[in-house]
Structures are given as structure tokens and as C-alpha cells.
Amino acid sequence: MVSTHSENSQQLIGLARRRAFELYLRSGRKPDAPLLAERKDIGSALAAAAADRGMPTSHYVWRTMLDDRVRRRHIEREGHVFARAEPPSGGPPGTEPNCRCWAEPYYGDPAIPDALQPLAHAYQTDTTGLAPWASIETLTRADGSIAHSVVLARDGTQIQSAFSGTLIARQITLATGEVVRVDTSGGVQSIYLGSDPRPLFQSAWTAHGPRVIRARRHLAFLGDEQTLIDPDVEGDPYASAREPYGIPILPNLGGLIALALVSLHSMLRAAPASQGLGEKDEPVLAIKAWAVNGNRQPVPVLVGSLTEEQLRQHCRFLPDVQNWTDDAAALLADKKPILPERTWGSLVHGVIKRTIDALKKSSPFIYDSLRPEISFAPNITGPVPYGRKGSTRLDVVEDRSEEEGVLCDYDVKTGREGLTVSRLKEIADRLSKSYPGITIYIIEVRPRL
Ligand SMILES: [Zn+2]
């Protein structure tokens, strides 16, 4: 930055005022948070600047990989809150050479308790009928970060989220009344069923992606079609979850969890701001095989998003896959209106595959980890030839299983439908058989307009 601090502040304050005015025009009323004190002014202005850079919050927590490769100066910053507008020496996480640190969003200003903050209320409904959500209600702080949101999906699922500091508490109420809670705090994600205070499982972010740190036996496996009540628990731990709705015993716990996570994932994609995501955060579902009595059962180890820095660690070809998808769609744009949706989609997929094949031929070393259109069949370890009966074809896979213990499945979508429960289960089943112990990220890639 070349300009002086006061010049910046003036610019930022101007920007914040303009934003407040725009909000006034949109909502037809003055924002509840008046820009009064100078300090507040600057806070809001910084937030507006953060928003301009596509960041969801004005502050963040410095996170490190917590291993012995982290430089000492960054270890000292672990867990500390920084303002995005005032980066420490060397710049924000991920800037210095080989830095694997990342910025975890911090919701709210650590200097101002939420109770003392006026929150701006906004409510919008989708009138096009095309969005996967029907309505979105948000409460936003003066610093621009989101405090609460309630999103009603078109299928009747409701997602309520509260954001405070590093805690994100979500409650997913399915159309059938069942409740799944997903809490994320300090890099640890916990998934609960109903009002049961004990998590089904917990996972933490590590140098090798999210790792399961605690799991209740026989619970929450995606492929599990059975209902199994924890044998070491007296009584029915889900009674309170079912009580208001009078729903009989849960018929398919794995399916229930999968549906809740797919619904949340879909909203992270469709309405990222309401879910506290910035522009460069990438929604992901991560799964991993968990060995039970010699069988491998896929469990969801993360539903959320990866920051730009985390993606650079693990799914580094995402920007390329996105560009190839955009290029393929642009190349075939004139055919789109005249072809059935599926046919056009296959053509786009074909162009992406040919692009990757050509790159692998010219630069085999660089593109070594990329596998376009790779097929897997049930109960067979490793890829199978395309077209085998019952096989599942994945669009683009980035295989970093050897070096990083992770694998990225780029699911290219050209139609309106996103990731479904059946597709998730299929991918989870096939890949967990072939890649035991590997973190598998599922990332949806769509052509940008
Ligand atoms: Zn670092």
C-alpha cells in the first residue's frame, strides 16, 4: 500500500457510507447500525474493504498446520486474531514462501461484544423459482460480518446458522422434521443428531486435511442403511429429537446425515454469503474411509469450505479445472440453445477430457496427478475401464494420495442439479474402497457465465 493511513481511512469511510446508502435503497430503510463514532466508522469501513476483496469478515484467526515445518514466527501467531486491514509483518497467512498457514474467519469485532452491537436485518425471497432456496433472512453486524442466518430451501429444509468469533453453529431441520447439527469451532467440526449433546463424530483440520478425532461406533456411516442405537447408552438418546414430530425410529441414519450435509453443501454453493463464506472460499464435502471390522465405511469428515490457502495445499488444480470448464462451455456456447441439456453437458465433459489428455501428453510431469474421466466399480479396488457395468465415472480426479494423503474429485456440473445424496454415496463408496485412509474432497465445478 502506498497511500497514507488517513487517506485510506477517508476512502474507506466514504465507501462504508455509500454501502449504507445502497442498503437503505435496497431495504427501504436506514440500516439499524448508525455510523456514529469515529472508531465504529473505521470498523465498518474496514469491513467494507474486506467485502470488496471478497472476504466474509473484517478479522481472522491465524491458523497453522501445527507440525514441525511451521516457521517459529507463525507458530507464535497460531490462534491470534488479526484485522484484515492491518496484516502483520510478512503479510497475511499463506503469503510468505511455502507458508501453509490460513486465515480462519473471525465473525464480529473482538473489541465489541455482540450484545452491544446493533444488527442489521435483511430478508429476501427468490421470485425466479430457479434458486435452490426460497428465502434467506440475515442479521449482520456493523463490521459487515454475518451474525445469524435462516435459509429455507425449496425442498422444505431449513438451515439456521449462528456465527460468533470462530464458532459457527448450524441446525439443519429436514422437511421430515429430523434435526442434524453441525458446529465448527477452532478448526474442529462436530456433527450431532437432534438434541443429543454427544457428537456422532468430530474432525479436526490437519496437514493432511480433516482428520477424525472422535467417532461413535456404528453411527453416521454414509452407507449405513440400518438404525443402530448406541449400545452403551441407556434409554433412547434421540427421544427429544423426535418428540415434537412423533417420528418413529430413524430408519436410515447414514442417509439422514447424508441428506443434511448435502443440503448444507448446496446452500454453501447457492447462497455463500448467508453461510459466512467469502468469494474465494470453496464449498467442499470431504469423506474418508473408516475401517469397521475389516470393512471400509465412508464417513463425512468435513462439510464446509476451503480457503484459497488450503486449496493451494490440497486441490491445487481447481483454478485450472475451472478455467478448462469455462473454456469448454465458451467453445460450445452456440450449441447450447439447440441441443438437449444432457447432450450439451456430455460435449463439455468431452472437451475437458481432451484438454487434460493433451496437457498430460505435452507436460506429463506437471499434470501427472490429474486423471480425467476415471471409472470405479463397486467391490473392485482401483479404476476400471470406462463403460463397465455398474461403474461410476468421475470427471476429473487430482490424486495426491501418495504425497499428501488427499484426493480431489472435481465434479463438473452443467445442468441445474447439484450434488445429490445418491451421487455422494456412490462417490464415497467407490473411492473409499480404492483409497483407504485418504481424505477425499468432492468439489463441484460449474461453467462461470
Ligand atoms: Zn506459515
Side-chain angles (χ1 to χ4, degrees):
M1 293 213 192
V2 245
S3 52
T4 66
H5 178 69
S6 70
E7 270 173 11
N8 274 338
S9 297
Q10 282 311 311
Q11 261 181 358
L12 294 171
I13 289 162
L15 194 63
R17 292 225 165 91
R18 212 160 59 233
R19 293 211 161 220
F21 183 64
E22 281 166 12
L23 181 72
Y24 173 61
L25 287 182
R26 271 203 311 277
S27 62
R29 65 190 172 83
K30 273 194 171 138
D32 294 337
L35 302 170
L36 290 176
E38 174 76 2
R39 201 204 162 289
K40 263 287 185 57
D41 248 16
I42 292 171
S44 309
L46 296 180
D52 270 3
R53 294 200 304 270
M55 303 297 189
T57 59
S58 60
H59 292 75
Y60 63 86
V61 177
W62 192 292
R63 290 293 179 203
T64 71
M65 288 293 186
L66 293 172
D67 60 15
D68 54 10
R69 283 168 57 199
V70 183
R71 64 198 82 193
R72 178 194 278 268
R73 212 150 35 82
H74 290 184
I75 283 276
E76 286 164 1
R77 291 175 189 169
E78 163 70 37
H80 289 271
V81 180
F82 294 87
R84 292 199 193 270
E86 294 156 32
S89 70
T95 339
E96 291 189 72
N98 298 321
C99 174
R100 298 165 301 149
C101 305
W102 77 97
E104 180 186 27
Y106 186 95
Y107 298 93
D109 185 331
I112 310 169
D114 270 2
L116 300 179
Q117 291 210 36
L119 298 173
H121 178 252
Y123 180 78
Q124 53 175 327
T125 53
D126 174 52
T127 48
T128 66
L130 296 172
W133 49 270
S135 70
I136 298 178
E137 193 176 4
T138 54
L139 287 175
T140 309
R141 296 182 188 86
D143 78 346
S145 67
I146 191 156
H148 290 277
S149 70
V150 181
V151 176
L152 186 63
R154 208 160 282 287
D155 69 359
T157 307
Q158 192 199 58
I159 300 175
Q160 280 189 59
S161 316
F163 307 83
S164 173
T166 61
L167 174 69
I168 305 174
R170 301 185 196 275
Q171 179 167 313
I172 304 150
T173 310
L174 299 175
T176 48
E178 283 117 332
V179 173
V180 173
R181 290 181 295 128
V182 181
D183 288 356
T184 311
S185 177
V188 175
Q189 188 170 80
S190 311
I191 299 184
Y192 305 83
L193 187 64
S195 53
D196 187 352
R198 299 161 314 150
L200 290 178
F201 54 89
Q202 288 181 301
S203 56
W205 182 260
T206 73
H208 301 285
R211 186 142 281 179
V212 176
I213 51 176
R214 183 180 161 188
R216 297 246 301 277
R217 262 159 58 83
H218 298 303
L219 288 175
F221 297 121
L222 286 176
D224 211 338
E225 307 284 332
Q226 313 254 330
T227 298
L228 291 160
I229 296 297
D230 225 3
D232 58 20
V233 174
E234 281 180 16
D236 177 358
Y238 311 124
S240 53
R242 294 202 312 271
E243 228 164 43
Y245 314 103
I247 291 166
I249 201 81
L250 301 168
N252 174 357
L253 185 57
L256 177 78
I257 298 292
L259 182 57
L261 300 191
V262 164
S263 301
L264 174 54
H265 177 74
S266 145
M267 285 315 143
L268 291 167
R269 285 215 73 87
S274 75
Q275 302 303 318
L277 265 57
E279 276 164 26
K280 291 187 171 166
D281 296 326
E282 186 65 33
V284 294
L285 260 174
I287 51 168
K288 201 168 194 168
W290 189 258
V292 191
N293 305 332
N295 281 324
R296 297 194 188 284
Q297 291 270 23
V299 289
V301 290
L302 177 79
V303 56
S305 60
L306 296 185
T307 65
E308 216 182 347
E309 302 91 50
Q310 287 171 318
L311 286 165
R312 224 182 295 134
Q313 277 298 305
H314 287 167
C315 302
R316 60 193 82 163
F317 278 113
L318 175 61
D320 300 277
V321 176
Q322 180 66 61
N323 287 336
W324 300 329
T325 304
D326 293 347
D327 292 349
L331 188 73
L332 295 161
D334 57 334
K335 296 209 170 64
K336 194 172 181 184
I338 53 171
L339 289 176
E341 198 179 276
R342 285 184 78 102
T343 315
W344 188 76
S346 316
L347 288 180
V348 171
H349 282 75
V351 171
I352 297 169
K353 174 174 163 47
R354 286 198 294 282
T355 305
I356 297 174
D357 283 342
L359 287 166
K360 282 179 78 75
K361 214 166 174 185
S362 61
S363 314
F365 182 72
I366 295 174
Y367 298 102
D368 182 48
S369 61
L370 278 185
R371 320 252 181 281
E373 299 203 345
I374 181 170
S375 294
F376 295 90
N379 303 315
I380 297 177
T381 304
V384 296
Y386 170 63
R388 159 111 38 143
K389 203 164 176 272
S391 68
T392 300
R393 193 177 71 182
L394 306 180
D395 300 324
V396 184
V397 165
E398 179 178 350
D399 184 350
R400 302 209 172 269
S401 54
E402 305 264 308
E403 333 92 90
E404 312 268 358
V406 300
L407 187 132
C408 310
D409 167 33
Y410 302 110
D411 215 19
V412 177
K413 297 277 187 214
T414 54
R416 262 181 59 190
E417 189 174 76
L419 186 68
T420 58
V421 170
S422 57
R423 177 79 180 160
L424 168 68
K425 283 182 155 193
E426 203 174 289
I427 295 172
D429 175 71
R430 308 297 191 264
L431 287 180
S432 59
K433 294 272 179 331
S434 293
Y435 298 92
I438 301 298
T439 299
I440 296 152
Y441 294 107
I442 302 171
I443 300 181
E444 214 174 287
V445 179
R446 290 178 173 279
R448 290 174 294 205
L449 297 174

